[in-house]
Structure formats: C-alpha cells, structure tokens
Amino acid sequence: MAEDIKREMTAILRELKDPRIDKMLTVVRTELSGDMSSCKIYVSSFDGIERAQESVKGLKSASGFIRRELFHRLKMRKSPELTFIADNSIERSAEISRKLSEL
C-alpha cells in the first residue's frame, strides 16, 4: 500500500497549483504505519533542501485535498494522516555522482 501511495502522490504533485511547491519535487519514499492511520511522505527537490522545505509548507496546506484524492484514487477504507518531510537525498546523490565523475 505504501508503494501505491507513493505512485499516486507523484501524480497528485503534478496537479497541484501552489507556487510554493517545486515543479521538480520528487517523492523519495513513503512509510505507512501498521494500522494505516498515518503516513510519512519524504520529498526531495533537485533545487536543494531549502526548496524542498518550502514545498513541504505548500504540501501541508494542501494536505486535506491530497488526503481526499488518495482516498478516492486508492479506494481506501480510511485515509491516513499525512506528514510531509523534506529530504536532501537527490541533492546528495547528485553531489556523489559529480565527485565520482571528477575522479
């Protein structure tokens, strides 16, 4: 179910119109609790951790809409409480790749 949420979140991100949400925002991973009452969604941006943190603010304000969309798209019995967390894994992997290419 966590992978289904990740897939649908990626699609929902493309539909959001909030200017705070980066167009290059990526869902890195999702962690769904055992009882499916809460879900942590880790997002990362190509523009760095600051841009990802700004996007998290926009996602928090749109969390009601996102929850409703997930509920309808996945035909869930109940919609989990969503927590968005900024992650810098894309920025870090780009830095590692850049260092490897310099070698």
Side-chain angles (χ1 to χ4, degrees):
M1 186 58 106
E3 286 300 316
D4 291 337
I5 290 174
K6 181 180 175 183
R7 183 188 68 243
E8 290 301 327
M9 270 303 303
T10 302
I12 292 170
L13 282 177
R14 304 299 165 239
E15 298 172 8
L16 296 175
K17 305 268 189 271
D18 193 324
R20 293 176 289 182
I21 300 172
D22 187 14
K23 297 296 180 197
M24 298 300 290
L25 196 68
T26 303
V27 178
V28 178
R29 73 176 192 259
T30 56
E31 292 178 358
L32 188 62
S33 66
D35 62 351
M36 294 177 57
S37 64
S38 66
C39 183
K40 293 180 183 177
I41 301 173
Y42 294 86
V43 294
S44 186
S45 174
F46 286 109
D47 296 333
I49 189 71
E50 295 84 16
R51 189 69 176 118
Q53 290 169 342
E54 181 67 23
S55 296
V56 164
K57 292 176 187 174
L59 290 170
K60 284 181 181 177
S61 69
S63 65
F65 170 77
I66 295 169
R67 256 181 105 171
R68 189 180 75 235
E69 282 296 307
L70 284 174
F71 179 76
H72 290 298
R73 292 179 184 204
L74 296 175
K75 312 258 188 288
M76 303 169 85
R77 186 171 299 197
K78 66 177 183 175
S79 181
E81 185 69 34
L82 302 177
T83 306
F84 298 99
I85 302 167
D87 189 56
N88 67 346
S89 60
I90 290 180
E91 183 182 18
R92 198 173 17 184
S93 65
E95 182 181 332
I96 290 170
S97 178
R98 189 171 42 251
K99 286 181 180 181
L100 285 174
S101 66
E102 289 174 1
L103 295 176

